[in-house]
Amino acid sequence: MTTAYSTVSAKLGKVTPATKSISREIFDAAAKAGHEIWYMWGMGSSSEHATGRALDLMVHNEAAGDWIRNYIWKHRKRLRLQHVIWEQHITSTVTQP
């Protein structure tokens, strides 16, 4: 069963237009590859979520999460990505001094 983007993204909140566009791109690419995103949210009160530039994605299985993580990382420069957190591991483009 495939869930519509409008349902999956209903709780994005007031994310930036770029973040919303990225959420749609990831949703569509995952669906095309046969992976379903169950739920996504963006706006919150902590860290990057407060800026409207963060996305959290919930998936049903590890294969979907792995595929999405790899897609995001592969396109990190174009998406202007800073961090990917998957299975309690952070991959970051930001280095600490």
Side-chain angles (χ1 to χ4, degrees), residues 1-23:
M1 179 175 102
T2 302
T3 306
Y5 173 78
S6 60
T7 301
V8 171
S9 65
K11 298 288 184 173
L12 275 179
K14 294 182 180 180
V15 296
T16 67
T19 300
K20 188 166 187 169
S21 176
I22 290 166
S23 75

Side-chain angles (χ1 to χ4, degrees), residues 81-83 92-96:
L81 168 79
Q82 289 184 335
H83 314 286
S92 180
T93 62
V94 180
T95 57
Q96 300 295 325

Side-chain angles (χ1 to χ4, degrees), residues 1 13 19 25 29 39 51-52 56 60-61 64 66 73 75 79 90:
M1 179 175 102
T19 300
E25 176 184 334
Y39 190 75
T51 69
D56 285 357
H60 287 291
N61 58 59
D66 287 345
W73 191 249
H75 299 281
L79 299 175
I90 299 173

Side-chain angles (χ1 to χ4, degrees), residues 12 21 30 33-34 58 68 76 79 86:
L12 275 179
S21 176
M58 182 71 71
I68 291 165
R76 66 189 176 273
L79 299 175
W86 170 236

